[in-house]
Amino acid sequence: MAAPHTILPDLDLLDQDGLKALIRSQHEQLLSHQSEIEQLKLLIPKQRRMPEGPLKLYEVLREEYQALRPGVDFSGENTREVLEELRRQEKPLSALCISGGGIRSATFALGALQGLAGHRLLDQFDYLSTVSGGGYIGSWLTAWIKRAGGLENVIPRLRPNAEPVPSGEIDPIGHLREYNNYLSPRLGFFSADTWTLGATVLRNILLNWLVLVPLLMLALMIPRLLLAVFRLGETYKEIGSVGTIASSWAVREGLALCWVLLLAFAIFNIGRFLPGAGGRDHSQSDFLWMVLAPLTGAVLCFVARDSLYYWGARENIQTGKLEVILWVLVPFAAGWLVFVLFCVRSLKQGVKFLFGPLSLALVSEAACMGAMAWALTNLILPRTSWAGYVTIALPLLLLALDLGGTIFVGLSSTVLEDDDREWMARASAWSHMLSFSWLVACALVLLAPGWAFHWKAWGKGLLAALTVASAWLSRLSGFAATATGKAPGPGRKIFAYLVKLAPAVFLITFGVGLSIFTNWLLYSTGMLLPPAPGVVATWRDHEFVLEHTPWFLALGGLVILLVLSRVMARYININRFSLHAMYRNRLIRAYLGASNPKRNAGRFTGFAADDDLLMHELRMGFRPFHVVNVALNLVSGQRLAWQQRKAQPFTVSPLHSGNYELGYRDSAQYGGRNGITLGTAVTISGAAASPSMGYHSSSVVGFVMTLLNARLGAWLGNPGDAGERTWKQDGPRSAVGSLVKEALGLTNNTSAYIYLSDGGHFENLALYEMVLRRCGQIVVLDAGCDSAFTYEDLGNALRKVRIDLKVPIEFEDQDMQPLREKKRRCAIAKIRYSVVDATWPDGELIYIKPMLLGTEPPDVEAYAAANPHFPHQGTGNQWFNESQTESYRMLGLHTLDEICRGWNGKCLEDFGRHVREMYLTVSPNARQTLRPATTTAVPGG
């Protein structure tokens, strides 16, 4: 470009003609500069406005298309207008999709990329869409292109016949060979890499436990506190203050009043919420807070008064039947009467409710609950331990009430409607869930430790062995969905059952272990109430510790645990001290550091801070445009149709981060002060082992994996409206809420923070988002673990694309059959965009699968002979050796060479025709697809 100004001559020496010539020259020069400036503007996207809220899909597509097709006006104001401008373009968009599969997929794709480069195809792609392991090699290529100044500078060195790299220059391919064992490059028992990996994992588990274990111990302390409160009468009697607590007004009248008011309030709301009586619709939250919560509080008040009064001041004095009738009938009658007086609009209807069949509920429920209350006081409490009583009292009373409701439903079958019966069934379900949870929690804290201490000597060792073994198997269960291959022998099924059972066993043994540890802590304070004269007790005497823990010690312990957990959660970052950070650093070193020309690695650690790249640094004039696919976990999502998938797509690109439902945010600001990095995005995309794993999620396994810190995913701000104050942050400020959501499977897309994990937990081919962008030519490298060739990942992708985007992707039977029979390495399909918009031309999908056909190079065949599962070895194997790396790389290169044999085309359309002619036999009876003229069906439109 010429200089913007020149040195002017002395104007006094110029005549009129000279001045005109000078003006004409300057004008021509100005026009030349203006033309150059306009050409530069075409290469630079229009000024990006910074919206106040999240961007919509059409705004994202508009900016991406503008970056990929400079000079084209994509200024549409909705999805249809933007897509319409794309449809008018002579050359459709194209995409290369690289599937998940860990280092196996990355290494196979390395060879395939070399093949594409050698056959002049790599520079034809507009998009590079990656997921999980495909993101490893995708980030490697993207970083190399960025640092080399463009793809045209990379292709000559990427081709398989490229000249050797001169000494002293960077060698990105050679760097990958050095780090094919990227997690611990130097092998051996005494390798610092191996011990560093183990030390990091152990350190992070311990730090994670400083947050999570106090929370668990806090929950397990609640039954101890309740037992201490219930025993106050007997405790104070034992130390000489007879009846001080038991005969007080707070116990005799206060707890009775609380019981009456809470139970009456619950009965009143049952009348209001029952559809046939109240006539109004109420939510589940209304039921939990207005019915179940006061009902639970009422039962606890009864159990507390029963324990304190009858077994404190008046020991061995039985409760009379009349007293029980009054105890139960009064709140039932009061609640029902208040409902009739204040909620029934007509006198006739009020008489019907008060004296009609609906009053049977009052009689049956009161009778059952009253009978159980009398039995608890007179029969059960005198014959059981305090621990047993606290464990069973609340569930028995709730189940007695439910039994009365069941009798009522049966006797009122001619009065109640279906809505009433469904409401009663749902109310019973919540009562049963609460009772079961109470039983399990109290059994773990109050009963199971005592059983453990009374076992024989070998029983304690067995408990420890079960804990360790189940923990190990539980971690395996987290990887089981993606990390296991087929194990030979009849023991495989037994091992699979053990893996499924292990999480529940581990939770039980771990809970019992925490309860025993709590015994030791409480005993060590020296604040337990003294034992009876002549009795010697230790922390191993579980019943003694339970019954001699004063209420203030239990309450103080609960408060200390809460404060400890909150403080630890404030300073222990949930993302940095999971496995995510460890995994991220090693991926960046191996793949992004490969092209770093001035890599300044630490001499002690081997890591370099400048290996990573900010995502937004890749946005200007950069092809292929890299889209990293991750999964937004919705384990507790509300959409019933998504109960299997439990996730939705989420993308990170140089321009935007988000999804079409929540919206998108600028990647230059999302996820951190300077925006999300390429290394972070790829690491999240490869987070295969996580408590929430999309359609692989399990609540029990998720709890165990959270506890064992097997957490490769990350928490980031919600890009939607719910994350208005959090989307720029690199993670939650406190770990408590996020850890609890991970452990209990409560991840959703409505909170301020969302949990992101492996893109394969939603769709493992990286195909979904490319169909969403209406790419006309798509090549998919599917290197997922599929030794049985069931094509699960392909089926999952086609299914989700058809359901969500309404676009069928159709393979003819004769196209897929050679793939199923392992006779061809690829297949071709039509992407039927015309089904959702008749004006759109159909796209083309070329699907490539690694397989052995007997034509591979001898070294590949030799490796396959020694390793029967090649090329579908388990994804859990992330420690590749030299022969393994070269075999997968060479198979990828050979696959592309074989597919491209005889092809002399220049573009992807030619390549598609070549594949069709070479591999496919078109049947004269091929089915015809209807193409109705419908409106554009794209999410977010």
Side-chain angles (χ1 to χ4, degrees):
M1 179 176 176
H5 64 278
T6 58
I7 299 175
L8 296 175
D10 190 342
L11 299 180
D12 294 335
L13 301 179
L14 296 177
D15 55 13
Q16 187 173 7
D17 292 337
L19 286 173
K20 289 181 179 179
L22 176 63
I23 293 172
R24 188 180 302 108
S25 173
Q26 293 295 318
H27 180 66
E28 291 175 353
Q29 191 174 20
L30 180 63
L31 291 177
S32 175
H33 294 327
Q34 185 175 1
S35 175
E36 292 178 355
I37 291 173
E38 292 299 324
Q39 291 178 8
L40 288 175
K41 284 182 177 180
L42 297 179
L43 300 177
I44 302 175
K46 295 181 179 180
Q47 181 65 31
R48 305 176 71 239
R49 72 177 178 88
M50 300 303 293
E52 295 181 359
L55 289 170
K56 295 182 179 179
L57 176 63
Y58 77 88
E59 296 175 291
V60 170
L61 295 180
R62 186 169 61 195
E63 292 194 38
E64 287 185 8
Y65 295 162
Q66 188 69 48
L68 292 170
R69 296 288 187 269
V72 179
D73 183 12
F74 289 98
S75 58
E77 292 304 318
N78 55 56
T79 304
R80 168 177 281 281
E81 293 178 3
V82 174
L83 290 177
E84 179 61 26
E85 183 58 42
L86 177 65
R87 187 187 64 80
R88 295 194 189 102
Q89 303 307 306
E90 181 179 355
K91 184 178 180 181
L93 291 174
S94 57
L96 173 63
C97 302
I98 308 179
S99 78
I103 193 172
R104 179 192 61 251
S105 175
T107 311
F108 174 83
L110 170 62
L113 289 174
Q114 291 183 288
L116 290 170
H119 293 281
R120 305 184 307 279
L121 281 169
L122 188 58
D123 59 352
Q124 298 292 314
F125 295 103
D126 295 296
Y127 282 104
L128 173 63
S129 182
T130 65
V131 59
S132 191
Y136 300 178
I137 201 66
S139 65
W140 170 83
L141 179 63
T142 297
W144 191 5
I145 294 172
K146 168 65 177 175
R147 288 166 175 149
L151 182 60
E152 65 276 7
N153 298 324
V154 170
I155 288 178
R157 295 182 58 186
L158 186 59
R159 287 178 177 139
N161 58 354
E163 296 182 358
V165 178
S167 177
E169 293 189 15
I170 61 168
D171 182 7
I173 298 177
H175 185 93
L176 289 186
R177 294 185 186 278
E178 295 289 330
Y179 286 93
N180 50 31
N181 187 12
Y182 69 94
L183 289 175
S184 53
R186 294 189 182 274
L187 299 174
F189 181 77
F190 288 103
S191 163
D193 286 342
T194 302
W195 282 80
T196 299
L197 189 64
T200 302
V201 171
L202 181 60
R203 178 200 66 191
N204 290 352
I205 288 177
L206 292 177
L207 290 174
N208 189 60
W209 279 11
L210 288 178
V211 179
L212 196 56
V213 169
L215 280 177
L216 294 175
M217 293 178 66
L218 184 151
L220 297 176
M221 185 66 76
I222 294 174
R224 292 176 182 264
L225 177 61
L226 289 175
L227 188 145
V229 171
F230 292 168
R231 285 194 81 254
L232 277 176
E234 192 163 329
T235 298
Y236 276 81
K237 172 188 170 183
E238 289 179 358
I239 63 175
S241 302
V242 178
T244 303
I245 296 295
S247 60
S248 65
W249 180 91
V251 171
R252 289 187 293 107
E253 284 82 15
L255 287 176
L257 182 62
C258 289
W259 153 267
V260 170
L261 292 178
L262 288 172
L263 186 55
F265 183 70
I267 298 301
F268 167 70
N269 285 319
I270 289 175
R272 287 198 309 137
F273 292 1
L274 195 66
R280 293 185 180 180
D281 187 26
H282 293 84
S283 67
Q284 180 171 281
S285 179
D286 293 337
F287 171 82
L288 295 179
W289 286 106
M290 306 295 283
V291 176
L292 191 61
L295 184 60
T296 304
V299 171
L300 289 177
C301 287
F302 173 83
V303 176
R305 187 178 187 276
D306 195 37
S307 304
L308 291 168
Y309 184 57
Y310 290 105
W311 293 97
R314 299 196 304 164
E315 186 175 1
N316 296 328
I317 298 179
Q318 293 186 340
T319 310
K321 295 182 177 59
L322 180 60
E323 188 174 358
V324 171
I325 292 174
L326 292 176
W327 258 86
V328 177
L329 187 58
V330 169
F332 269 85
W336 190 249
L337 183 60
V338 170
F339 163 73
V340 171
L341 292 177
F342 291 96
C343 297
V344 177
R345 298 179 179 179
S346 67
L347 178 61
K348 182 178 179 181
Q349 191 178 22
V351 172
K352 173 185 175 182
F353 284 149
L354 190 58
F355 300 106
L358 288 178
S359 61
L360 287 173
L362 181 72
V363 177
S364 60
E365 292 179 353
C368 291
M369 199 169 192
M372 183 55 68
W374 181 86
L376 278 172
T377 304
N378 294 279
L379 301 178
I380 297 176
L381 181 55
R383 293 173 173 82
T384 189
S385 65
W386 282 100
Y389 182 68
V390 172
T391 301
I392 66 174
L394 183 140
L396 285 178
L397 285 171
L398 289 180
L399 293 177
L401 181 64
D402 184 60
L403 176 61
T406 301
I407 296 173
F408 156 63
V409 170
L411 296 177
S412 303
S413 59
T414 59
V415 177
L416 296 182
E417 301 292 338
D418 284 341
D419 287 346
D420 298 310
R421 284 186 285 271
E422 288 291 345
W423 190 94
M424 294 291 291
R426 183 60 64 95
S428 295
W430 276 105
S431 178
H432 294 168
M433 282 193 288
L434 176 60
S435 300
F436 176 77
S437 302
W438 181 276
L439 280 172
V440 171
C442 289
L444 285 177
V445 178
L446 305 179
L447 301 178
W451 300 338
F453 280 125
H454 286 87
W455 288 349
K456 297 179 181 179
W458 56 264
K460 300 168 188 177
L462 178 62
L463 177 65
L466 279 174
T467 304
V468 174
S470 58
W472 175 69
L473 289 171
S474 297
R475 286 180 69 90
L476 286 184
S477 66
F479 292 91
T482 56
T484 56
K486 283 195 172 183
R492 181 171 173 262
K493 289 186 177 180
I494 297 176
F495 181 77
Y497 286 131
L498 289 176
V499 168
K500 292 180 180 180
L501 184 62
V505 174
F506 173 74
L507 286 183
I508 294 172
T509 55
F510 189 79
V512 173
L514 283 183
S515 295
I516 293 174
F517 179 62
T518 305
N519 273 10
W520 179 81
L521 287 178
L522 294 173
Y523 184 85
S524 300
T525 63
M527 300 175 66
L528 295 184
L529 298 174
V535 176
V536 178
T538 68
W539 62 272
R540 293 181 177 85
D541 297 313
H542 183 63
E543 189 170 347
F544 165 79
V545 175
L546 285 177
E547 297 185 1
H548 288 74
T549 300
W551 68 271
F552 56 84
L553 180 59
L555 181 60
L558 191 147
V559 173
I560 291 172
L561 291 170
L562 177 61
V563 172
L564 176 63
S565 180
R566 296 290 296 183
V567 171
M568 292 297 106
R570 177 64 180 84
Y571 292 101
I572 297 176
N573 187 285
I574 190 173
N575 290 335
R576 293 192 184 99
F577 294 104
S578 65
L579 293 183
H580 168 81
M582 178 275 295
Y583 181 44
R584 173 181 177 273
N585 291 340
R586 284 152 180 80
L587 281 178
I588 291 172
R589 177 178 63 183
Y591 290 93
L592 274 71
S595 57
N596 190 350
K598 299 180 180 179
R599 191 167 189 269
N600 186 23
R603 291 188 295 173
F604 184 63
T605 64
F607 294 100
D610 59 348
D611 282 346
D612 203 359
L613 294 171
L614 291 170
M615 205 72 191
H616 69 84
E617 293 176 345
L618 311 173
R619 63 175 43 160
M620 291 184 61
F622 196 89
R623 288 179 68 251
F625 187 86
H626 195 172
V627 176
V628 181
N629 296 265
V630 300
L632 193 168
N633 284 276
L634 305 174
V635 180
S636 67
Q638 299 301 312
R639 293 187 62 172
L640 296 179
W642 286 10
Q643 290 182 94
Q644 179 187 7
R645 61 175 68 177
K646 299 178 184 177
Q648 62 181 167
F650 190 100
T651 58
V652 180
S653 77
L655 289 172
H656 312 99
S657 299
N659 70 18
Y660 59 76
E661 181 175 335
L662 296 176
Y664 298 82
R665 299 288 186 172
D666 190 342
S667 291
Q669 294 180 289
Y670 181 75
R673 181 180 302 175
N674 298 314
I676 192 168
T677 69
L678 177 60
T680 297
V682 168
T683 303
I684 296 173
S685 177
S690 296
S692 295
M693 298 184 289
Y695 57 87
H696 297 303
S697 297
S698 163
S699 56
V700 177
V701 172
F703 191 96
V704 175
M705 295 188 73
T706 303
L707 195 59
L708 298 177
N709 203 32
R711 301 167 41 246
L712 293 176
W715 287 89
L716 292 177
N718 191 326
D721 294 330
E724 192 59 42
R725 297 183 178 181
T726 61
W727 67 273
K728 296 182 181 181
Q729 299 175 9
D730 61 358
R733 292 292 176 259
S734 174
V736 171
S738 301
L739 275 177
V740 170
K741 288 180 179 179
E742 274 190 80
L744 302 181
L746 300 177
T747 52
N748 56 52
N749 62 359
T750 59
S751 302
Y753 295 96
I754 54 175
Y755 187 65
L756 304 175
S757 68
D758 193 323
H761 295 158
F762 175 77
E763 189 266 298
N764 201 41
L765 297 185
L767 173 64
Y768 183 99
E769 290 289 334
M770 297 302 100
V771 177
L772 175 65
R773 285 159 171 76
R774 292 290 176 87
C775 291
Q777 299 286 331
I778 301 178
V779 175
V780 172
L781 304 177
D782 179 7
C785 185
D786 187 16
S787 57
F789 286 85
T790 59
Y791 298 93
E792 178 183 358
D793 289 339
L794 177 62
N796 176 59
L798 301 187
R799 187 182 307 116
K800 286 187 169 72
V801 166
R802 187 190 309 117
I803 292 172
D804 295 352
L805 309 182
K806 315 302 181 188
V807 177
I809 300 178
E810 298 177 350
F811 292 85
E812 296 292 345
D813 292 339
Q814 67 270 18
D815 303 345
M816 284 300 295
Q817 193 60 31
L819 269 179
R820 296 189 186 100
E821 297 174 354
K822 293 188 285 186
K823 295 180 178 178
R824 291 176 182 168
R825 303 182 192 273
C826 72
I828 196 164
K830 285 294 183 182
I831 308 173
R832 300 294 190 185
Y833 294 123
S834 57
V835 171
V836 295
D837 189 339
T839 64
W840 261 88
D842 289 336
E844 192 169 61
L845 169 66
I846 299 175
Y847 174 80
I848 301 174
K849 186 84 167 176
M851 63 177 65
L852 299 175
L853 300 184
T855 61
E856 293 75 25
D859 61 314
V860 177
E861 291 184 345
Y863 183 84
N867 298 271
H869 297 300
F870 176 83
H872 294 280
Q873 292 161 304
T875 309
N877 177 14
Q878 294 292 292
W879 288 266
F880 270 31
N881 54 37
E882 183 181 37
S883 59
Q884 193 173 14
T885 298
E886 180 60 13
S887 298
Y888 275 101
R889 185 199 70 83
M890 195 60 203
L891 179 63
L893 175 60
H894 176 75
T895 297
L896 264 295
D897 284 345
E898 188 173 282
I899 293 174
C900 294
R901 186 177 298 133
W903 176 67
N904 295 310
K906 297 181 179 180
C907 61
L908 282 175
E909 290 84 352
D910 294 339
F911 180 61
R913 284 190 289 271
H914 165 77
V915 172
R916 194 179 304 109
E917 292 170 1
M918 182 176 181
Y919 280 92
L920 305 180
T921 303
V922 180
S923 169
N925 298 322
R927 61 182 179 276
Q928 299 294 319
T929 303
L930 296 178
R931 301 182 180 183
T934 58
T935 58
T936 303
V938 177

